[in-house]
Amino acid sequence: MASASGFPASFYGEPGVLGLLANGISAFLVLLQNFHGARTGVPAEGVENILAGVHLILIGGVCQLVAGLLSFRKYDHLSGTSFVGYAALWGSYGATRIFLGANQQSPNIFNQSAMINGTFQDLYANISVNQTDIPMYIKESAIAGLVPYILLSFLLAFCSATVNYIMPFVFGAITLTLIFEAVGLVAGWALVVSGVLELLILLFAIYGSSALLIKGLAQRYVLKGFGNPLFNVLLLGTTNASSSQSLGQEKKKNTKYAEPMALGFFCDTVSPFIFAFYAFGYFPSIPVAAIWISINSAAQLLSSYYAYLRQDCYHATKFGLHCVFWLVKTWEEYVVSVTISRTEAGEVRHAMVGNWFFLSAALVFCITSLNKDTLELVHNSFFVLVTISTISQIPIDRYYIFFGVTCSLFTLLSFYGTFARLINTIAEKSLIPVGPQPVSTESLQKYLSYLRRSKLDEPEDKGSQLPDALFYLSNGVAALSAIHNGQSGLAFFDLTVPWVFIPGAIIQAYVSRLQVQGGQRFGSVIPSFYVAIWATWSWFRFAGHRLQISTESANGFAAGAIAFLVINAFLILVATYGNLVLLALTTIMEVIIVCFLLSTFERLPYQLEVAMLAIFAIICLYGMLASLVNSIFSKTLIPVGPSLIKDKKKKESETTYPCFIAKSRETSGLLKIAKLLENNGVCGIPTDTVYALAASCKNPSAIEKIYSIKDRPAEKPICICISSVEQLVTAKPPFSPLLWEFMRNVYPGGISCIVPKGEWLLKLGVGPAYDRVGTRESIMIRVPDHTATAHLCEFTGPLAITSANPSGEADSTHHDMVINRLGHKIEGVLCDGESNEVVASTVVNCLKIDEGTISILREGCVPALKVRQIFERVKSNML
């Protein structure tokens, strides 16, 4: 569909429709059960609870999770955090209903007098739980899970008031509902009140989803509720310069995805809160609570994943670490609750050393967060206290008290962190205090670079790949946890299974997925293979007595170990193309596999295995530190060693290109491209989004050549590119103060503004190309946030640009794509490697900005929601 100005308009779905409906329908399901129980005096039981739980998981959990994932991709911080958080809530509550239904024994339905004379609360209490198995403590676990969600739901309701005035009512009603659902577990009357509130959730959700659905179809707000907040987020505080300074210290993130930091802190509030209830003895058995923490940890893994998509190694690894920790501790306590007693666990835990790797990793994050804000450093420091409190050598009588106290403190700090991160990302300013930067980035780099003493030929100085730190983390925890001696008892083996299997197999499978998505040279070969090793290790070495593995099965494991040896030998060869740390890791793993093979014949040299596992864990710790630091700073500060086998690269002089090639980092290259453009040439140039074809506005014939080079339809206009807003100011266009202020807030960057055309373009330098760019009434202006392009425009004046791809095909995201596709048709290419984005700029129609409205004609690298937030902020500041 084309707009009146000739620029294509795109329509995008609203994931909020699915998210709000999922909340509404989930509340409706619970409402039906509550009202039915109140009317008949017989609460839901057995199969009814199981079916309700399944529906809550599918609708409130899975459907809302999809809405959250789509919201993150639309750069919607609030909706992404809210929907994923509520998905974890409904999924956990559904699982609790399933547990309740599976363990209930129905009351005597023939006892009519009991049904008539008894109250609803009495009958609810009479539904007994099957005591033939381990007590589940379902009611207590559910209360412990609901309380943190009550607090966080209130927080989400408050934060959503800064965005619109529909979500505060939905989230506020959910908050009140959760309160009465928790009370209803001990007092049946509260479930009636909860049912009324759930009806309100349904009504608010239907209205909100209808408003968003109509908005998506009409491309404007028809029903009231969205587009205007209850109050301006800027009223919450003033920008803290010292705090906001640290926000720009990291490398530029991928802005196609919303920031997941609030979701990570959200999950760090729920898990330790439940653990605090457990540690203080509110419920002495954790099977049901384990489901709540596991689902919450899965949500935290999603925050790690979206941090990875944003090229944010720090948060991707941090939230991955926390996820591993909560999962391991949860299922360790599950083993204590179901298999062995706390007393027996206290006796065998003294031989477990895996938690020392968590402590070391937590200290690493304290170091790497020194150039972040104070909140981040304090949060990491409190996590260090949490890991200290779980050291297995602490006496059992003090272990749980210490753990409960540290979890309580960590919960409070994470709750504040959720609020601060969410408000600050919504406002895109540091309104909620997070503290100054403890150490400057330059100073931290200087201190860390002292570790790099050798002058070895390192790999290309680009830092490490994003998933590498998580790869070393998961292997390090698994290896150190696997250490034991020949006298270890069966209880020790039971406790060790989650310590080895969860990080070594489950989390490393996630790392393998990241490796594939990242397109690394050897893909996911090494992490995928190590998944198989640690899964087999857990199965045979620690769970063998439970699985009753026979001698014949042991021989099968021996054959598998031999296969592992052969495959790992190949991986050693692969590692020679990587670095010395990876080579040392795979070499030690070969010896560890030999020990595994000997264990299948019951001839295991325990001392050798312990030594190899310890060395393996130390290498992993160093690899994690180096990978994390090098990836954060995008340079090799901590050495990992050179590759032993290097590829033979062809000399550039031997390569024949179809057009002139220049490097963007060389001034001579910029000057040569500028000369080609002045001489009526068309060149491929980098921008802050994707590569573009450029022609000088001094040469109208060159602009016409672009149409033939791309096979571009003549009715599609071409925009102009300038170096800065100041270059535009010199032309003195008759723009309103609102338009000027909006342009100063979006330039330079991945946003293109359509403005009225006029004689001012001649002063700007467009001159002869006036009729060749834009439409009769309007012109689109780009100011890329790219140093090389800005300098080029200073040399040449305004450039006419369009995406460097044949019309109708995908955008070019690397200079090689421009050379291969269009090199034979153009005069030159300014090479700058891979582009920052994979889609073009976002096009904003500003022709009616003086009427208080703008329209998004094409949503590109900058989400439409972010553009509207900027515009509303600018407009409010102008009032």
Side-chain angles (χ1 to χ4, degrees), residues 384-405:
V384 170
L385 289 178
V386 173
T387 58
I388 292 175
S389 70
T390 58
I391 290 176
S392 302
Q393 287 68 38
I394 297 177
I396 194 67
D397 56 336
R398 303 173 187 173
Y399 178 91
Y400 286 103
I401 296 177
F402 190 13
F403 185 39
V405 171

Side-chain angles (χ1 to χ4, degrees), residues 814-828:
H814 195 280
H815 61 254
D816 287 340
M817 295 178 67
V818 182
I819 296 170
N820 295 334
R821 301 159 89 184
L822 302 173
H824 59 291
K825 295 183 179 181
I826 60 180
E827 281 69 38

Side-chain angles (χ1 to χ4, degrees), residues 152 162 166 282 434 678 698 734 800 823:
L152 290 167
T162 67
I166 292 297
Y282 181 69
V434 292
E678 290 180 358
K698 300 173 184 176

Side-chain angles (χ1 to χ4, degrees), residues 478-728:
L480 201 61
S481 302
I483 293 178
H484 68 286
N485 55 47
Q487 286 73 44
S488 300
L490 298 182
F492 175 89
F493 293 155
D494 290 336
L495 284 176
T496 305
V497 169
W499 281 87
V500 177
F501 184 76
I502 290 175
I506 297 177
I507 301 301
Q508 193 157 206
Y510 162 70
V511 174
S512 174
R513 174 66 181 86
L514 297 186
Q515 297 275 17
V516 171
Q517 179 159 343
Q520 291 202 15
R521 177 169 185 177
F522 300 110
S524 61
V525 175
I526 295 180
S528 296
F529 176 62
Y530 285 2
V531 166
I533 289 179
W534 293 120
T536 306
W537 193 290
S538 304
W539 186 8
F540 180 75
R541 296 290 296 277
F542 300 123
H545 64 286
R546 294 285 178 185
L547 301 173
Q548 298 180 349
I549 296 176
S550 62
T551 304
E552 292 76 10
S553 299
N555 292 335
F557 279 99
I562 295 173
F564 284 162
L565 284 172
V566 175
I567 297 173
N568 194 71
F570 168 74
L571 296 184
I572 293 175
L573 178 62
V574 170
T576 58
Y577 287 89
N579 54 66
L580 291 180
V581 173
L582 188 60
L583 178 60
L585 192 77
T586 52
T587 303
I588 297 298
M589 178 58 81
E590 187 79 357
V591 182
I592 293 174
I593 297 174
V594 170
C595 294
F596 179 79
L597 175 61
L598 293 175
S599 70
T600 62
F601 300 121
E602 298 183 355
R603 295 186 177 181
L604 174 63
Y606 281 100
Q607 293 79 5
L608 176 62
E609 183 184 76
V610 169
M612 290 299 103
L613 288 172
I615 294 173
F616 187 89
I618 293 172
I619 294 174
C620 286
L621 182 62
Y622 180 82
M624 175 193 167
L625 173 63
S627 300
L628 187 61
V629 170
N630 295 343
S631 183
I632 289 174
F633 295 104
S634 299
K635 61 177 68 175
T636 305
L637 295 178
I638 299 179
V640 292
S643 56
L644 297 185
I645 301 178
K646 298 180 175 59
D647 289 332
K648 296 181 180 180
K649 297 182 180 180
K650 294 183 180 180
K651 296 181 179 180
E652 292 184 8
S653 59
E654 296 177 356
T655 304
T656 302
Y657 294 106
C659 61
F660 176 76
I661 301 299
K663 294 182 179 179
S664 63
R665 297 182 180 181
E666 298 177 355
T667 304
S668 59
L670 284 174
L671 292 173
K672 290 177 181 177
I673 293 295
K675 188 173 182 179
L676 289 174
L677 292 171
E678 290 180 358
N679 292 333
N680 207 37
V682 176
C683 296
I685 64 171
T687 68
D688 54 347
T689 56
V690 295
Y691 276 80
L693 290 182
S696 173
C697 288
K698 300 173 184 176
N699 302 311
S701 59
I703 299 176
E704 294 175 357
K705 284 167 60 178
I706 291 180
Y707 282 89
S708 60
I709 290 171
K710 287 191 54 169
D711 294 326
R712 182 179 177 87
E715 64 272 12
K716 287 190 175 183
I718 289 181
C719 70
I720 62 171
C721 172
I722 59 177
S723 62
S724 64
V725 177
E726 284 67 32
Q727 188 177 1
L728 190 61

Side-chain angles (χ1 to χ4, degrees), residues 7 751-752 754 780 841-845 855-860:
F7 292 95
I751 296 176
S752 302
I754 300 175
M780 186 168 76
S841 63
T842 296
V843 178
V844 183
N845 188 339
S855 57
I856 311 299
L857 301 187
R858 181 184 72 195
E859 187 171 20

